[in-house]
Amino acid sequence: MVNLNQALPYVGVTPFQLISALAILIVGYVIARAVVGAFKRTLRKTKLPPLVVEFLGRFLAIGLYLIVLIVALGAVGISVSPVILGLSAVVGLILGFGLQDTLTNLAAGVWLAALRPVDIGEVVEVAGKTGKVNKIGLMGTELLTPDNKLITIPNKLVWGSVITNYTRMPTRRVNVDIGVAYGTDLDRAIKLAMDLMKSHPKVLSDPEPSVVITALADSSINLQLRAWTKTEDYWAVKGDLTRGIYELYTREGIEIPFPQLDVHLKNE
C-alpha cells in the first residue's frame, strides 16, 4: 500500500502533495474561469466597448491563474517567496516601460480638463491638425475635420504642442489680400475697399475696418483689407469680401495684375 506521506525518490515530494497541487490547479482553474466570466458579464452591462471588456477580462484571468499556480507550488513544498519577488520585478519592469506613455497621456488629459485650452465644439489647430473638438478623453483628443474625418491625437501631443484656438474669442479679424497695378490711384482704391467693408452688414464698426499696403511686389502693389466680425460669421464675411473686392475693382476699372515678366530685346 502506498504511503501518501512518504516522499517520492529523487523529487522529495509526497504523493499527497502532488494530489493536493493537482487539485488546487483544477479547482483554481474552474473558479478563475467562473470569476472571469461573471466579471465580463458585469462589464457588458456598462457602456464600455467590447474590446475594453475583453482586455480587462484577460488581464484578470492572467492574475488569477498566477495566484493559482503560486498556491499549487506552495502545496508541493516549493518556497514561493522568490517566485513572487521575481514576478513582481518582471511586472514592475513591464508596467514601467509599457505604461509610460499611458501615464503621460493620462496626466496630460488631466491638465487639459483642468485648464481647458481647448473645449468641445471649438475649432483648433494642434499637432499639425485642424478640426472641431469632438471629444476630450483621458488618453486622447478627437478632432472632426471639415471633410468629416475623425482624428484622434494622444493627449501628450496635444498638451506638448502649440494650440491655435480659432473660435475661443467672440470676434476675429478677416484679412483679404489683393494686388493692384502700379500707377493705380491708391487713395481711390483704398476708399472703394473701405466703402465695401463698411457696407457689409456683418462687418463690425468697432474695431473699425482698415486697408493697409503690405508690399511693393514685382507685379503689383499688395493691399490687405482688414475687417472685424463675429467669430461665427468669419467665413461668410471672408467669402463676401473676397468676391466683392474683385467685382468692385473690375467694375471700377482698377487693374488687378497677374505675375508677368517684361522682356526687352536689343538689336545690335
Side-chain angles (χ1 to χ4, degrees):
M1 186 175 180
V2 179
N3 187 354
L4 296 179
N5 294 317
Q6 183 178 358
L8 298 174
Y10 305 110
V11 294
V13 178
T14 66
F16 179 77
Q17 289 176 317
L18 288 177
I19 295 173
S20 299
L22 183 60
I24 290 172
L25 288 174
I26 295 174
V27 175
Y29 176 77
V30 173
I31 294 176
R33 287 286 299 271
V35 171
V36 171
F39 178 72
K40 287 183 178 181
R41 286 191 297 271
T42 302
L43 289 182
R44 289 192 184 102
K45 297 178 182 179
T46 66
K47 295 182 179 181
L48 288 175
L51 186 62
V52 175
V53 173
E54 187 65 25
F55 172 79
L56 294 177
R58 290 183 180 181
F59 189 78
L60 176 63
I62 292 173
L64 293 177
Y65 293 153
L66 285 176
I67 293 174
V68 171
L69 180 60
I70 291 173
V71 174
L73 291 175
V76 295
I78 298 177
S79 177
V80 296
S81 296
V83 176
I84 295 175
L85 289 176
L87 288 175
S88 300
V90 172
V91 171
L93 187 64
I94 293 174
L95 293 178
F97 286 100
L99 296 182
Q100 182 177 1
D101 286 343
T102 301
L103 295 177
T104 303
N105 285 323
L106 184 61
V110 172
W111 283 111
L112 289 172
L115 300 180
R116 312 301 289 183
V118 300
D119 211 340
I120 303 298
E122 293 182 333
V123 178
V124 300
E125 179 181 350
V126 58
K129 305 296 182 180
T130 302
K132 180 183 291 185
V133 180
N134 187 63
K135 179 183 178 182
I136 303 175
L138 289 177
M139 305 301 297
T141 299
E142 294 182 356
L143 298 184
L144 188 63
T145 65
D147 56 348
N148 210 34
K149 290 186 293 189
L150 190 63
I151 300 175
T152 302
I153 306 175
N155 281 336
K156 69 174 184 178
L157 295 182
V158 178
W159 183 250
S161 301
V162 175
I163 300 174
T164 302
N165 195 318
Y166 291 106
T167 55
R168 175 65 60 89
M169 304 305 291
T171 60
R172 284 186 63 186
R173 193 182 75 183
V174 177
N175 297 332
V176 176
D177 296 305
I178 191 167
V180 297
Y182 280 94
T184 298
D185 184 345
L186 290 180
D187 290 337
R188 179 168 175 262
I190 291 174
K191 183 179 184 306
L192 289 172
M194 287 292 295
D195 291 342
L196 173 68
M197 289 186 289
K198 290 181 178 180
S199 65
H200 196 291
K202 294 183 179 180
V203 171
L204 302 177
S205 58
D206 185 23
E208 187 178 8
S210 62
V211 179
V212 297
I213 300 173
T214 57
L216 300 177
D218 293 336
S219 303
S220 64
I221 301 174
N222 294 339
L223 306 179
Q224 186 177 78
L225 285 65
R226 297 177 177 177
W228 288 87
T229 186
K230 293 181 180 179
T231 299
E232 60 266 25
D233 296 329
Y234 176 86
W235 288 109
V237 172
K238 187 174 181 65
D240 291 345
L241 293 183
T242 302
R243 178 171 180 170
I245 194 63
Y246 170 76
E247 293 177 345
L248 178 61
Y249 279 180
T250 301
R251 186 168 60 250
E252 293 295 328
I254 295 178
E255 182 183 355
I256 304 174
F258 53 86
Q260 54 187 314
L261 178 65
D262 292 335
V263 179
H264 300 275
L265 299 177
K266 183 179 181 180
N267 294 324
E268 294 183 355

PDB file of all heavy atoms in Angstrom, residues 124-151:
ATOM      1  N   VAL A 124      -9.821  74.118 -33.579  1.00  0.00           N
ATOM      2  CA  VAL A 124      -8.447  74.349 -33.139  1.00  0.00           C
ATOM      3  C   VAL A 124      -7.471  73.738 -34.146  1.00  0.00           C
ATOM      4  O   VAL A 124      -7.826  72.868 -34.949  1.00  0.00           O
ATOM      5  CB  VAL A 124      -8.195  73.735 -31.747  1.00  0.00           C
ATOM      6  CG1 VAL A 124      -9.123  74.339 -30.708  1.00  0.00           C
ATOM      7  CG2 VAL A 124      -8.364  72.216 -31.778  1.00  0.00           C
ATOM      8  N   GLU A 125      -6.231  74.202 -34.057  1.00  0.00           N
ATOM      9  CA  GLU A 125      -5.121  73.588 -34.777  1.00  0.00           C
ATOM     10  C   GLU A 125      -4.120  73.121 -33.734  1.00  0.00           C
ATOM     11  O   GLU A 125      -3.626  73.915 -32.925  1.00  0.00           O
ATOM     12  CB  GLU A 125      -4.460  74.579 -35.726  1.00  0.00           C
ATOM     13  CG  GLU A 125      -3.284  73.996 -36.494  1.00  0.00           C
ATOM     14  CD  GLU A 125      -2.613  75.002 -37.409  1.00  0.00           C
ATOM     15  OE1 GLU A 125      -3.178  76.100 -37.592  1.00  0.00           O
ATOM     16  OE2 GLU A 125      -1.525  74.689 -37.930  1.00  0.00           O
ATOM     17  N   VAL A 126      -3.836  71.825 -33.730  1.00  0.00           N
ATOM     18  CA  VAL A 126      -2.932  71.259 -32.740  1.00  0.00           C
ATOM     19  C   VAL A 126      -2.195  70.081 -33.362  1.00  0.00           C
ATOM     20  O   VAL A 126      -2.786  69.291 -34.107  1.00  0.00           O
ATOM     21  CB  VAL A 126      -3.706  70.824 -31.476  1.00  0.00           C
ATOM     22  CG1 VAL A 126      -4.788  69.815 -31.809  1.00  0.00           C
ATOM     23  CG2 VAL A 126      -2.775  70.276 -30.420  1.00  0.00           C
ATOM     24  N   ALA A 127      -0.908  69.992 -33.093  1.00  0.00           N
ATOM     25  CA  ALA A 127      -0.067  68.913 -33.612  1.00  0.00           C
ATOM     26  C   ALA A 127      -0.162  68.800 -35.134  1.00  0.00           C
ATOM     27  O   ALA A 127      -0.124  67.705 -35.692  1.00  0.00           O
ATOM     28  CB  ALA A 127      -0.432  67.579 -32.954  1.00  0.00           C
ATOM     29  N   GLY A 128      -0.314  69.940 -35.796  1.00  0.00           N
ATOM     30  CA  GLY A 128      -0.378  69.955 -37.257  1.00  0.00           C
ATOM     31  C   GLY A 128      -1.730  69.583 -37.832  1.00  0.00           C
ATOM     32  O   GLY A 128      -1.863  69.494 -39.051  1.00  0.00           O
ATOM     33  N   LYS A 129      -2.742  69.376 -37.004  1.00  0.00           N
ATOM     34  CA  LYS A 129      -4.078  69.005 -37.463  1.00  0.00           C
ATOM     35  C   LYS A 129      -5.081  70.091 -37.082  1.00  0.00           C
ATOM     36  O   LYS A 129      -4.974  70.708 -36.023  1.00  0.00           O
ATOM     37  CB  LYS A 129      -4.522  67.671 -36.862  1.00  0.00           C
ATOM     38  CG  LYS A 129      -3.561  66.513 -37.114  1.00  0.00           C
ATOM     39  CD  LYS A 129      -3.435  66.189 -38.596  1.00  0.00           C
ATOM     40  CE  LYS A 129      -2.506  65.011 -38.822  1.00  0.00           C
ATOM     41  NZ  LYS A 129      -2.365  64.688 -40.256  1.00  0.00           N
ATOM     42  N   THR A 130      -6.063  70.307 -37.966  1.00  0.00           N
ATOM     43  CA  THR A 130      -7.088  71.312 -37.723  1.00  0.00           C
ATOM     44  C   THR A 130      -8.461  70.658 -37.781  1.00  0.00           C
ATOM     45  O   THR A 130      -8.752  69.874 -38.682  1.00  0.00           O
ATOM     46  CB  THR A 130      -7.013  72.443 -38.766  1.00  0.00           C
ATOM     47  OG1 THR A 130      -5.720  73.038 -38.714  1.00  0.00           O
ATOM     48  CG2 THR A 130      -8.065  73.504 -38.495  1.00  0.00           C
ATOM     49  N   GLY A 131      -9.308  70.990 -36.819  1.00  0.00           N
ATOM     50  CA  GLY A 131     -10.662  70.442 -36.815  1.00  0.00           C
ATOM     51  C   GLY A 131     -11.430  70.910 -35.600  1.00  0.00           C
ATOM     52  O   GLY A 131     -10.916  71.617 -34.723  1.00  0.00           O
ATOM     53  N   LYS A 132     -12.689  70.502 -35.550  1.00  0.00           N
ATOM     54  CA  LYS A 132     -13.550  70.827 -34.406  1.00  0.00           C
ATOM     55  C   LYS A 132     -13.364  69.769 -33.325  1.00  0.00           C
ATOM     56  O   LYS A 132     -13.341  68.569 -33.613  1.00  0.00           O
ATOM     57  CB  LYS A 132     -15.009  70.879 -34.849  1.00  0.00           C
ATOM     58  CG  LYS A 132     -15.992  71.213 -33.724  1.00  0.00           C
ATOM     59  CD  LYS A 132     -17.433  71.181 -34.198  1.00  0.00           C
ATOM     60  CE  LYS A 132     -17.709  72.330 -35.150  1.00  0.00           C
ATOM     61  NZ  LYS A 132     -19.153  72.393 -35.528  1.00  0.00           N
ATOM     62  N   VAL A 133     -13.219  70.199 -32.092  1.00  0.00           N
ATOM     63  CA  VAL A 133     -13.011  69.268 -30.983  1.00  0.00           C
ATOM     64  C   VAL A 133     -14.289  68.460 -30.768  1.00  0.00           C
ATOM     65  O   VAL A 133     -15.336  69.017 -30.451  1.00  0.00           O
ATOM     66  CB  VAL A 133     -12.625  70.015 -29.693  1.00  0.00           C
ATOM     67  CG1 VAL A 133     -12.422  69.027 -28.553  1.00  0.00           C
ATOM     68  CG2 VAL A 133     -11.357  70.834 -29.913  1.00  0.00           C
ATOM     69  N   ASN A 134     -14.174  67.153 -30.965  1.00  0.00           N
ATOM     70  CA  ASN A 134     -15.330  66.265 -30.841  1.00  0.00           C
ATOM     71  C   ASN A 134     -15.401  65.612 -29.462  1.00  0.00           C
ATOM     72  O   ASN A 134     -16.482  65.374 -28.934  1.00  0.00           O
ATOM     73  CB  ASN A 134     -15.255  65.182 -31.927  1.00  0.00           C
ATOM     74  CG  ASN A 134     -16.497  64.319 -31.986  1.00  0.00           C
ATOM     75  OD1 ASN A 134     -17.578  64.801 -32.265  1.00  0.00           O
ATOM     76  ND2 ASN A 134     -16.336  63.020 -31.715  1.00  0.00           N
ATOM     77  N   LYS A 135     -14.226  65.345 -28.876  1.00  0.00           N
ATOM     78  CA  LYS A 135     -14.191  64.669 -27.582  1.00  0.00           C
ATOM     79  C   LYS A 135     -12.824  64.867 -26.957  1.00  0.00           C
ATOM     80  O   LYS A 135     -11.812  64.846 -27.644  1.00  0.00           O
ATOM     81  CB  LYS A 135     -14.494  63.173 -27.745  1.00  0.00           C
ATOM     82  CG  LYS A 135     -14.447  62.367 -26.452  1.00  0.00           C
ATOM     83  CD  LYS A 135     -14.695  60.889 -26.733  1.00  0.00           C
ATOM     84  CE  LYS A 135     -14.608  60.058 -25.472  1.00  0.00           C
ATOM     85  NZ  LYS A 135     -14.797  58.605 -25.748  1.00  0.00           N
ATOM     86  N   ILE A 136     -12.809  65.066 -25.638  1.00  0.00           N
ATOM     87  CA  ILE A 136     -11.553  65.121 -24.888  1.00  0.00           C
ATOM     88  C   ILE A 136     -11.592  63.980 -23.879  1.00  0.00           C
ATOM     89  O   ILE A 136     -12.337  64.038 -22.884  1.00  0.00           O
ATOM     90  CB  ILE A 136     -11.377  66.474 -24.172  1.00  0.00           C
ATOM     91  CG1 ILE A 136     -11.434  67.625 -25.179  1.00  0.00           C
ATOM     92  CG2 ILE A 136     -10.052  66.506 -23.416  1.00  0.00           C
ATOM     93  CD1 ILE A 136     -11.397  68.994 -24.542  1.00  0.00           C
ATOM     94  N   GLY A 137     -10.834  62.917 -24.158  1.00  0.00           N
ATOM     95  CA  GLY A 137     -10.822  61.757 -23.285  1.00  0.00           C
ATOM     96  C   GLY A 137      -9.624  61.764 -22.358  1.00  0.00           C
ATOM     97  O   GLY A 137      -8.787  62.667 -22.388  1.00  0.00           O
ATOM     98  N   LEU A 138      -9.521  60.740 -21.519  1.00  0.00           N
ATOM     99  CA  LEU A 138      -8.390  60.636 -20.613  1.00  0.00           C
ATOM    100  C   LEU A 138      -7.088  60.362 -21.354  1.00  0.00           C
ATOM    101  O   LEU A 138      -6.023  60.775 -20.912  1.00  0.00           O
ATOM    102  CB  LEU A 138      -8.645  59.528 -19.585  1.00  0.00           C
ATOM    103  CG  LEU A 138      -9.714  59.807 -18.529  1.00  0.00           C
ATOM    104  CD1 LEU A 138      -9.895  58.596 -17.632  1.00  0.00           C
ATOM    105  CD2 LEU A 138      -9.351  61.032 -17.701  1.00  0.00           C
ATOM    106  N   MET A 139      -7.181  59.671 -22.491  1.00  0.00           N
ATOM    107  CA  MET A 139      -5.982  59.278 -23.213  1.00  0.00           C
ATOM    108  C   MET A 139      -5.752  60.068 -24.496  1.00  0.00           C
ATOM    109  O   MET A 139      -4.620  60.227 -24.936  1.00  0.00           O
ATOM    110  CB  MET A 139      -6.038  57.774 -23.553  1.00  0.00           C
ATOM    111  CG  MET A 139      -6.257  56.877 -22.350  1.00  0.00           C
ATOM    112  SD  MET A 139      -4.973  57.073 -21.105  1.00  0.00           S
ATOM    113  CE  MET A 139      -3.553  56.531 -22.034  1.00  0.00           C
ATOM    114  N   GLY A 140      -6.821  60.523 -25.150  1.00  0.00           N
ATOM    115  CA  GLY A 140      -6.671  61.202 -26.430  1.00  0.00           C
ATOM    116  C   GLY A 140      -7.771  62.215 -26.663  1.00  0.00           C
ATOM    117  O   GLY A 140      -8.808  62.216 -25.993  1.00  0.00           O
ATOM    118  N   THR A 141      -7.516  63.098 -27.633  1.00  0.00           N
ATOM    119  CA  THR A 141      -8.472  64.137 -28.020  1.00  0.00           C
ATOM    120  C   THR A 141      -8.886  63.900 -29.465  1.00  0.00           C
ATOM    121  O   THR A 141      -8.037  63.667 -30.325  1.00  0.00           O
ATOM    122  CB  THR A 141      -7.847  65.535 -27.880  1.00  0.00           C
ATOM    123  OG1 THR A 141      -7.490  65.751 -26.507  1.00  0.00           O
ATOM    124  CG2 THR A 141      -8.808  66.619 -28.319  1.00  0.00           C
ATOM    125  N   GLU A 142     -10.190  63.946 -29.731  1.00  0.00           N
ATOM    126  CA  GLU A 142     -10.716  63.706 -31.073  1.00  0.00           C
ATOM    127  C   GLU A 142     -11.038  65.024 -31.769  1.00  0.00           C
ATOM    128  O   GLU A 142     -11.685  65.895 -31.196  1.00  0.00           O
ATOM    129  CB  GLU A 142     -11.983  62.845 -31.006  1.00  0.00           C
ATOM    130  CG  GLU A 142     -11.751  61.429 -30.508  1.00  0.00           C
ATOM    131  CD  GLU A 142     -13.023  60.605 -30.502  1.00  0.00           C
ATOM    132  OE1 GLU A 142     -14.093  61.170 -30.817  1.00  0.00           O
ATOM    133  OE2 GLU A 142     -12.952  59.405 -30.190  1.00  0.00           O
ATOM    134  N   LEU A 143     -10.549  65.151 -33.020  1.00  0.00           N
ATOM    135  CA  LEU A 143     -10.871  66.296 -33.860  1.00  0.00           C
ATOM    136  C   LEU A 143     -11.667  65.825 -35.068  1.00  0.00           C
ATOM    137  O   LEU A 143     -11.340  64.798 -35.672  1.00  0.00           O
ATOM    138  CB  LEU A 143      -9.593  66.991 -34.346  1.00  0.00           C
ATOM    139  CG  LEU A 143      -8.652  67.602 -33.307  1.00  0.00           C
ATOM    140  CD1 LEU A 143      -7.502  68.325 -34.004  1.00  0.00           C
ATOM    141  CD2 LEU A 143      -9.400  68.559 -32.394  1.00  0.00           C
ATOM    142  N   LEU A 144     -12.705  66.576 -35.426  1.00  0.00           N
ATOM    143  CA  LEU A 144     -13.506  66.291 -36.610  1.00  0.00           C
ATOM    144  C   LEU A 144     -13.154  67.328 -37.664  1.00  0.00           C
ATOM    145  O   LEU A 144     -13.374  68.527 -37.476  1.00  0.00           O
ATOM    146  CB  LEU A 144     -14.997  66.351 -36.279  1.00  0.00           C
ATOM    147  CG  LEU A 144     -15.955  65.877 -37.380  1.00  0.00           C
ATOM    148  CD1 LEU A 144     -15.733  64.393 -37.683  1.00  0.00           C
ATOM    149  CD2 LEU A 144     -17.400  66.121 -36.974  1.00  0.00           C
ATOM    150  N   THR A 145     -12.562  66.873 -38.789  1.00  0.00           N
ATOM    151  CA  THR A 145     -12.095  67.787 -39.815  1.00  0.00           C
ATOM    152  C   THR A 145     -13.271  68.297 -40.647  1.00  0.00           C
ATOM    153  O   THR A 145     -14.352  67.707 -40.639  1.00  0.00           O
ATOM    154  CB  THR A 145     -11.082  67.091 -40.739  1.00  0.00           C
ATOM    155  OG1 THR A 145     -11.752  66.027 -41.453  1.00  0.00           O
ATOM    156  CG2 THR A 145      -9.930  66.501 -39.938  1.00  0.00           C
ATOM    157  N   PRO A 146     -13.068  69.390 -41.403  1.00  0.00           N
ATOM    158  CA  PRO A 146     -14.162  69.917 -42.240  1.00  0.00           C
ATOM    159  C   PRO A 146     -14.683  68.925 -43.257  1.00  0.00           C
ATOM    160  O   PRO A 146     -15.847  69.015 -43.666  1.00  0.00           O
ATOM    161  CB  PRO A 146     -13.510  71.130 -42.919  1.00  0.00           C
ATOM    162  CG  PRO A 146     -12.431  71.563 -41.976  1.00  0.00           C
ATOM    163  CD  PRO A 146     -11.898  70.291 -41.387  1.00  0.00           C
ATOM    164  N   ASP A 147     -13.831  67.965 -43.703  1.00  0.00           N
ATOM    165  CA  ASP A 147     -14.301  66.953 -44.653  1.00  0.00           C
ATOM    166  C   ASP A 147     -14.754  65.677 -43.947  1.00  0.00           C
ATOM    167  O   ASP A 147     -14.770  64.597 -44.527  1.00  0.00           O
ATOM    168  CB  ASP A 147     -13.233  66.648 -45.701  1.00  0.00           C
ATOM    169  CG  ASP A 147     -11.915  66.226 -45.081  1.00  0.00           C
ATOM    170  OD1 ASP A 147     -11.744  66.381 -43.858  1.00  0.00           O
ATOM    171  OD2 ASP A 147     -11.044  65.739 -45.824  1.00  0.00           O
ATOM    172  N   ASN A 148     -15.097  65.809 -42.620  1.00  0.00           N
ATOM    173  CA  ASN A 148     -15.727  64.735 -41.856  1.00  0.00           C
ATOM    174  C   ASN A 148     -14.821  63.534 -41.616  1.00  0.00           C
ATOM    175  O   ASN A 148     -15.267  62.391 -41.621  1.00  0.00           O
ATOM    176  CB  ASN A 148     -17.033  64.270 -42.523  1.00  0.00           C
ATOM    177  CG  ASN A 148     -18.043  63.763 -41.506  1.00  0.00           C
ATOM    178  OD1 ASN A 148     -18.107  64.283 -40.394  1.00  0.00           O
ATOM    179  ND2 ASN A 148     -18.818  62.762 -41.860  1.00  0.00           N
ATOM    180  N   LYS A 149     -13.543  63.811 -41.351  1.00  0.00           N
ATOM    181  CA  LYS A 149     -12.625  62.765 -40.917  1.00  0.00           C
ATOM    182  C   LYS A 149     -12.367  62.938 -39.429  1.00  0.00           C
ATOM    183  O   LYS A 149     -12.187  64.046 -38.942  1.00  0.00           O
ATOM    184  CB  LYS A 149     -11.304  62.828 -41.694  1.00  0.00           C
ATOM    185  CG  LYS A 149     -11.437  62.425 -43.152  1.00  0.00           C
ATOM    186  CD  LYS A 149     -10.084  62.352 -43.831  1.00  0.00           C
ATOM    187  CE  LYS A 149      -9.451  63.721 -43.952  1.00  0.00           C
ATOM    188  NZ  LYS A 149      -8.219  63.700 -44.796  1.00  0.00           N
ATOM    189  N   LEU A 150     -12.365  61.813 -38.699  1.00  0.00           N
ATOM    190  CA  LEU A 150     -12.156  61.851 -37.255  1.00  0.00           C
ATOM    191  C   LEU A 150     -10.696  61.545 -36.958  1.00  0.00           C
ATOM    192  O   LEU A 150     -10.183  60.490 -37.337  1.00  0.00           O
ATOM    193  CB  LEU A 150     -13.066  60.841 -36.559  1.00  0.00           C
ATOM    194  CG  LEU A 150     -13.142  60.932 -35.031  1.00  0.00           C
ATOM    195  CD1 LEU A 150     -13.736  62.275 -34.611  1.00  0.00           C
ATOM    196  CD2 LEU A 150     -13.958  59.784 -34.467  1.00  0.00           C
ATOM    197  N   ILE A 151     -10.021  62.466 -36.291  1.00  0.00           N
ATOM    198  CA  ILE A 151      -8.609  62.326 -35.966  1.00  0.00           C
ATOM    199  C   ILE A 151      -8.473  62.232 -34.448  1.00  0.00           C
ATOM    200  O   ILE A 151      -9.002  63.070 -33.719  1.00  0.00           O
ATOM    201  CB  ILE A 151      -7.786  63.511 -36.490  1.00  0.00           C
ATOM    202  CG1 ILE A 151      -7.906  63.620 -38.017  1.00  0.00           C
ATOM    203  CG2 ILE A 151      -6.322  63.382 -36.086  1.00  0.00           C
ATOM    204  CD1 ILE A 151      -7.208  64.838 -38.590  1.00  0.00           C
TER     205      ILE A 151
END
